[in-house]
Amino acid sequence: MARGARRRAERLELRPGARYHRPIHALGIAVPTHYRRDGDVALLQIDNPPVNALDLSVRTGLEALLRRAADEPQVKAVVLCGARACFSAGADISEIASGAAFHSPMLLELHARMEALGKPIVAAIEGAALGGGLELALTCHARIAAPEARFALPEVKLGLIPGSGGTQRFTRLAGPAAALEAITSGAQLPAARALAIGLIDAIGADPLQVAVAWARRLADGASVPVLARAREDKIAAVEPDLFTAFRAARARAFRGQLAPWRIVDAIEAACTRPALEAFQLERQWYLECRASPQRKALMHVFHAERAARRVAVAAPQVEALPIARVGVVGAGTMGAGIAMCFANAGIDVTLLDVSREAVARGLERVGELYGESVARGKLTDEVASAARARIRGAVDYAALADVDMAVEAVFEDLALKCQVFERLDRSTPPRAILASNTSTLDIDRLAACTARPQQVVGTHFFSPAHVMKLMENVRGRASSPQTLATVMALGRRLGKIAVLAGNCDGFIGNRMLQYYGAEAERLLEEGATPEQIDAVIEAFGFAMGPLAMRDLAGNDVGWAIRRHRTLPADERWSPILERMAAQGRLGRKSGRGFYLYEGRERRSDPQVLALISAVSRELGIERREIGAGEILARLLHPLVNEGAKLLAEGIAARAGDIDVVYIHGYGFPAYKGGPMYWAEQEGLAKVIATLERLAPSHGARWRPCAYLRAAAARGGWEHLTQC
Ligand code: COA
């Protein structure tokens, strides 16, 4: 460090290499912004726990501090930073919903003040610079980041577009191609990538120190401060078909949604319209998105995901057990994927199966999946190799003698799983948690096979386990608070969204799915085609229709699970699935199911319609035209009624938990908020009326349950469920 810089740093009480996480202005009062001066540089710090959200108090504070920095003649430059190693997670989400985000000073007004300050401003970024936080940084003359800092405009995940110039400044700094990728996905960019695309100016181990020096250089005229707003170089020569090609490539991914399309429009405007007009258009589209039901639904999901973590496990002080080593029993596709989840989180894994061949196949599968992750750019070669090295194979349960937890992922058969649990109980240390990846079976029966039922729990991963976000943890009758706290914390560590479910046939997800799937087959019997049903559900926004989903999971598997399940007296299973399985129409894996498959492409198969029509004839059902509205209603209502029963039985703690399960495990469109939220938007009274209309002809599951009626009477789920 140069002598001058060291002197200045000392005056600021900045020590080389030290980190500055404490409020700069320690008055002992909880004010959300702090001001400190080092001679000619003013430091403005945002300090609004937990994530430095830019609520009204912060904006008011920053406005006053900017004015002060402008007024003080000694101040030649300004550095903006955040407390607690976090720059800012952006606008306060609850203020966007309430409208307080529009109270003056708005972010837009702060930006105008920053750009008109007449003194250079540099952002010193540690941790997250997200949404409005990044917009604030982009309005500075330069951005200096810590190596582990991360950047995103994640508004799209909330159904919004950045509304304070984010799309415009990002595009001007990093170019439209990078902006399209980053802003339509909302994905976080690491500092190295942000530097590579030109979003930031430098990376430094101590960004505050570097930023102070940078600000001085700008003030001294050693380099010229340029605002993003004034940059034209990256938007000058845009490839002519960039936007057309991007829109075409993302048409399927963005279907039904508003915000991603508006983001593309805003980035295009940045490249094609005068700056002032483009900034105004962005604001107009932000307001349009903010008013949309999609924004409301996605904010519901944001809060529901966080509420799902808050689990009432009786004793409040319970701490999660440390998990450093796990065993995974069953080296099939699920086992391999689960092993990867742990290894990716830095946990050592022993993948165990009955034979050397099975273990070798499992490890080979793991290698292939890591290869795919690298090929898709999800992991670097280095990270994938390190994770892969954490997984070793074994055929002897003695290899599990030092694990903290074991997850059973063998075939869905109770007797087999019981045997595995007996072996695990004998082979693992007494402290170890024993978890089952079952998707339907009774956790208490498995717990009874061990001498440690309090440490037995369900951890239901979704396929492919290393990709799917959901982890449905299942509480057995004897599961201890510590066991539950451990698996919920584990979910977070694995990067999953964990939801706690009670123990029943199918837990939350598959119990609801049972009637959704059954209803799809009833619709087939009555006259609908697989294509029609799937098209309606996919147009609603699901990733996949129910019959395409059956083909993916395997019709033999669906039928085998069904054989073990009991139905209420006035219900029946359609014979369609059994016939499909008997004819070798197993789904994608056999190249034919409800559709014919060539690779990932699906085609209609007239023989399927013949099979379905034969079933209708045998059952004496006269096939008829069924409209899209009826198909949608018939598929969504049983989900809601069954969801209400799960709430009544305490299997799900909150309606929001059910929404989170359906969005992250079953492809329900997040921008419609999940099935329970959807029902509230429809109106619970209307949902009840539809159920009542169909109950006489369609069976017991159509009778609205008492809980649903009570929720309707009280005006929503929230008034009945507790956290
Ligand atoms: N406004 C208001 N509150 C916010 C917030 C925001 N922008 N971002 C996070 N929070 C709150 C969360 O609701 C949570 O509150 P809770 O503890 O009462 O549930 C708390 O801050 C911690 O957030 P959490 O998500 O649990 O922590 P994390 O460490 O897993 O993730 C972030 C931190 C910042 C990465 C993550 O919260 C996030 O992505 N936030 C949203 C950022 C965003 O979309 N900004 C643009 C807004 S338009």
Side-chain angles (χ1 to χ4, degrees):
M1 191 186 203
R3 248 184 49 220
R6 186 185 301 280
R7 263 206 315 276
R8 281 194 295 272
E10 279 163 8
R11 277 207 306 278
L12 248 174
E13 295 168 21
L14 299 175
R15 287 178 313 283
R19 304 182 70 76
Y20 300 92
H21 299 158
R22 282 181 301 120
I24 303 166
H25 191 61
L27 290 176
I29 307 165
V31 284
T33 50
H34 308 289
Y35 186 89
R36 185 176 180 91
R37 265 228 0 251
D38 166 40
D40 54 1
V41 177
L43 272 96
L44 277 51
Q45 190 191 51
I46 306 165
D47 182 11
N48 188 24
V51 293
N52 294 338
L54 304 169
D55 65 16
L56 183 58
S57 70
V58 172
R59 299 195 307 274
T60 308
L62 281 180
E63 185 188 46
L65 300 187
L66 283 167
R67 197 177 292 133
R68 182 171 164 188
D71 290 347
E72 285 185 357
Q74 309 91 313
V75 172
K76 287 192 186 152
V78 176
V79 166
L80 188 60
C81 61
R84 284 161 283 97
C86 171
F87 188 74
S88 167
D92 186 305
I93 290 174
S94 49
E95 282 197 354
I96 295 174
S98 70
F102 298 91
H103 293 175
S104 192
M106 294 186 290
L107 276 176
L108 278 177
E109 292 167 296
L110 284 184
H111 294 164
R113 188 172 286 281
M114 287 162 73
E115 290 184 336
L117 196 69
K119 298 176 183 181
I121 310 186
V122 178
I125 302 165
E126 287 187 285
L130 309 179
L134 180 54
E135 287 181 306
L136 211 53
L138 296 181
T139 311
C140 295
H141 293 96
R143 288 145 291 281
I144 315 298
E148 70 284 0
R150 43 200 213 283
F151 304 83
L153 291 174
E155 284 83 351
V156 70
K157 296 180 183 174
L158 296 168
L160 286 168
I161 80 168
S164 303
T167 60
Q168 304 304 300
R169 294 191 178 89
F170 193 118
T171 306
R172 286 167 176 269
L173 288 168
L180 286 169
E181 282 298 331
I183 312 178
T184 60
S185 70
Q188 292 192 4
L189 305 175
R193 174 81 186 137
L195 182 65
I197 62 175
L199 200 64
I200 61 173
D201 299 272
I203 297 177
D206 193 332
L208 185 56
Q209 208 169 44
V210 181
V212 168
W214 200 289
R216 283 210 174 94
R217 272 208 309 280
L218 291 176
D220 294 347
S223 46
V224 183
V226 182
L227 290 169
R229 180 188 275 275
R231 288 271 302 272
E232 301 276 345
D233 48 313
K234 297 262 176 92
I235 55 170
V238 178
E239 282 176 40
D241 68 342
L242 177 71
F243 296 101
T244 320
F246 189 83
R247 284 189 179 98
R250 300 300 158 96
R252 188 171 161 78
F254 296 169
R255 72 184 197 281
Q257 298 176 66
L258 176 63
W261 295 116
R262 286 304 191 210
I263 288 168
V264 180
D265 293 343
I267 295 170
E268 187 173 35
C271 300
T272 54
R273 311 278 185 106
L276 186 63
E277 187 187 335
F279 273 79
Q280 282 169 349
L281 280 169
E282 183 207 66
R283 187 67 180 172
Q284 181 184 318
W285 290 326
Y286 165 80
L287 294 173
E288 179 191 8
C289 289
R290 182 186 171 268
S292 80
Q294 298 188 2
R295 193 274 301 164
K296 290 187 194 115
L298 284 161
M299 283 197 179
H300 157 74
V301 176
F302 178 87
H303 292 301
E305 285 172 1
R306 278 148 191 85
R309 291 185 201 144
R310 290 193 279 274
V311 167
V313 284
Q317 306 306 340
V318 178
E319 281 199 8
L321 290 168
I323 302 288
R325 272 177 296 278
V326 301
V328 176
V329 181
T333 306
M334 270 320 271
I338 294 170
M340 287 172 73
C341 295
F342 286 110
N344 292 350
I347 298 170
D348 290 331
V349 186
T350 302
L351 183 59
L352 186 136
D353 211 315
V354 284
S355 69
R356 285 187 198 293
E357 294 71 41
V359 173
R361 268 198 308 276
L363 291 175
E364 202 177 307
R365 182 86 190 113
V366 166
E368 284 165 11
L369 293 175
Y370 273 121
E372 282 171 21
S373 299
V374 172
R376 287 204 196 131
K378 302 277 176 206
L379 294 178
T380 64
D381 227 342
E382 203 184 355
V383 170
S385 303
R388 169 71 189 81
R390 289 189 198 105
I391 305 175
R392 62 194 175 97
V395 285
D396 190 341
Y397 276 75
L400 306 184
D402 65 348
V403 298
D404 303 306
M405 174 174 178
V407 181
E408 161 283 304
V410 302
F411 191 69
E412 193 77 352
D413 176 277
L414 188 64
L416 177 64
K417 285 186 190 277
C418 279
Q419 278 173 23
V420 171
F421 268 76
E422 283 164 14
R423 296 288 299 274
L424 286 174
D425 198 28
R426 288 201 299 272
S427 323
T428 58
R431 66 169 194 283
I433 288 177
L434 306 183
S436 173
N437 179 50
T438 179
S439 55
T440 51
L441 299 174
D442 185 348
I443 297 298
D444 292 334
R445 298 272 293 273
L446 300 177
C449 303
T450 73
R452 58 179 104 173
Q454 73 285 357
Q455 284 152 255
V456 174
V457 69
T459 51
H460 177 203
F461 291 81
F462 287 70
S463 184
H466 64 298
V467 175
M468 295 289 281
K469 278 275 184 201
L470 183 66
M471 184 173 173
E472 191 182 30
N473 290 330
V474 186
R475 176 206 296 252
R477 196 183 309 125
S479 307
S480 72
Q482 188 162 50
T483 302
L484 299 178
T486 304
V487 291
M488 291 305 286
L490 185 65
R492 223 173 155 190
R493 188 166 162 206
L494 300 187
K496 304 279 181 200
I497 294 174
V499 174
L500 189 64
N503 185 28
C504 69
D505 182 9
F507 318 129
I508 295 177
N510 281 337
R511 181 163 140 188
M512 285 166 67
L513 191 71
Q514 156 172 310
Y515 288 129
Y516 168 82
E519 198 62 29
E521 288 158 40
R522 291 295 181 86
L523 285 162
L524 291 176
E525 288 176 355
E526 288 173 36
T529 65
E531 291 78 2
Q532 259 183 314
I533 296 174
D534 285 346
V536 168
I537 283 297
E538 286 163 19
F540 179 78
F542 271 85
M544 207 179 273
L547 301 160
M549 195 158 96
R550 278 226 181 281
D551 274 355
L552 185 66
N555 292 318
D556 51 337
V557 177
W559 181 56
I561 290 175
R562 189 174 277 185
R563 273 186 303 167
H564 298 296
R565 301 180 119 177
T566 46
L567 279 177
D570 62 346
E571 290 284 348
R572 66 172 176 83
W573 294 123
S574 164
I576 291 175
L577 201 57
E578 182 180 351
R579 303 247 172 121
M580 298 285 289
Q583 289 191 8
R585 294 184 167 277
L586 308 184
R588 278 200 195 186
K589 61 186 170 189
S590 68
R592 56 189 203 137
F594 285 99
Y595 299 94
L596 292 172
Y597 292 92
E598 271 161 36
R600 295 169 75 90
E601 288 298 309
R602 73 183 193 216
R603 278 193 293 118
S604 301
D605 182 351
Q607 288 180 17
V608 169
L609 201 55
L611 182 152
I612 295 168
S613 302
V615 170
S616 307
R617 260 195 315 279
E618 284 165 34
L619 294 170
I621 299 171
E622 193 172 328
R623 294 179 67 77
R624 64 185 170 92
E625 279 291 321
I626 305 181
E630 181 180 343
I631 291 175
L632 191 63
R634 296 261 307 265
L635 291 172
L636 294 188
H637 282 74
L639 284 179
V640 178
N641 204 24
E642 203 57 26
K645 289 179 197 166
L646 291 173
L647 289 170
E649 293 166 28
I651 300 292
R654 289 162 286 244
D657 287 5
I658 296 175
D659 290 332
V660 171
V661 165
Y662 260 77
I663 287 165
H664 292 292
Y666 298 85
F668 196 101
Y671 63 86
K672 298 232 165 122
M676 308 308 271
Y677 179 86
W678 171 83
E680 271 185 332
Q681 303 312 300
E682 283 287 294
L684 296 184
K686 187 172 156 207
V687 168
I688 290 173
T690 305
L691 287 164
E692 279 173 339
R693 185 163 49 78
L694 292 167
S697 50
H698 290 77
R701 65 183 177 283
W702 285 91
R703 278 197 292 273
C705 76
Y707 194 93
L708 173 56
R709 290 186 191 284
R714 299 213 193 168
W717 308 113
E718 208 184 298
H719 305 286
L720 285 177
T721 51
Q722 331 130 2
C723 293

